Amino acid sequence: MRSLVWFSALVLLVSGCAPVLQGGERALPPAEAAPGVLVIAGAGGVPLLSAYLPLAAPPGSVIYEQSYTGKLSFSRFKNPQDFDALRRYLLAALEDAGWRVLEAATWEKPPSLFQTTVRVEKEGEQKVVVLRYENGSYSVEVREG
């Protein structure tokens, strides 16, 4: 009986149906768009906060506003993670996408306002990415560098 339980758990893990445990907590669900909100998605249907960078929405996010003007973008979303976790996610995702972080500055006014501004460069092009948390919601804005 015990081997049947382990085999079932292994099948669920391999099939991607079981939640992954990280730090003793259940993994967050995939990011999604709020009902009626059209968002740009990347490979595998993962919603993007910026299609140009590209920057996937963090797991657990629900995107409820998104706008694009060429390479510039703005997305507003909810996420259960704290600001520091999303700041680390943003920096890692930018580096994974090939962007080099030139400078990053964080401004905080607890408990309801936090902002990180990151200047990045890739192939001679610079962008400014602003992660902001204000009154319970996050936003990511991509601006000209």
Side-chain angles (χ1 to χ4, degrees):
M1 182 68 171
R2 182 185 239 173
S3 61
L4 180 59
V5 171
W6 282 107
F7 178 73
S8 298
L10 179 62
V11 168
L12 287 173
L13 283 171
V14 170
S15 69
C17 296
V20 178
L21 299 178
Q22 297 176 343
E25 299 177 13
R26 287 187 174 262
L28 294 169
E32 62 182 29
V37 177
L38 180 64
V39 298
I40 294 178
V46 176
L48 300 175
L49 297 177
S50 167
Y52 176 70
L53 293 179
L55 182 60
S61 296
V62 176
I63 302 169
Y64 61 91
E65 180 183 351
Q66 192 169 73
S67 61
Y68 280 89
T69 305
K71 297 177 182 179
L72 310 181
S73 62
F74 178 83
S75 295
R76 188 175 311 276
F77 60 99
K78 297 275 188 179
N79 190 291
Q81 298 183 78
D82 66 21
F83 182 79
D84 192 48
L86 287 186
R87 182 186 58 77
R88 288 190 313 269
Y89 173 89
L90 175 71
L91 292 170
L94 289 167
E95 289 178 355
D96 287 349
W99 292 89
R100 184 169 57 99
V101 174
L102 301 175
E103 62 182 293
T106 299
W107 180 82
E108 299 179 0
K109 188 175 179 183
S112 62
L113 183 58
F114 299 86
Q115 180 173 304
T116 292
T117 303
V118 183
R119 183 176 305 279
V120 294
E121 185 272 333
K122 182 177 179 179
E123 299 173 0
E125 185 168 10
Q126 291 189 14
K127 295 288 179 215
V128 172
V129 182
V130 178
L131 170 66
R132 184 177 179 93
Y133 174 82
E134 187 170 12
N135 297 322
S137 72
Y138 289 95
S139 64
V140 169
E141 183 178 6
V142 179
R143 306 175 184 164
E144 286 296 336

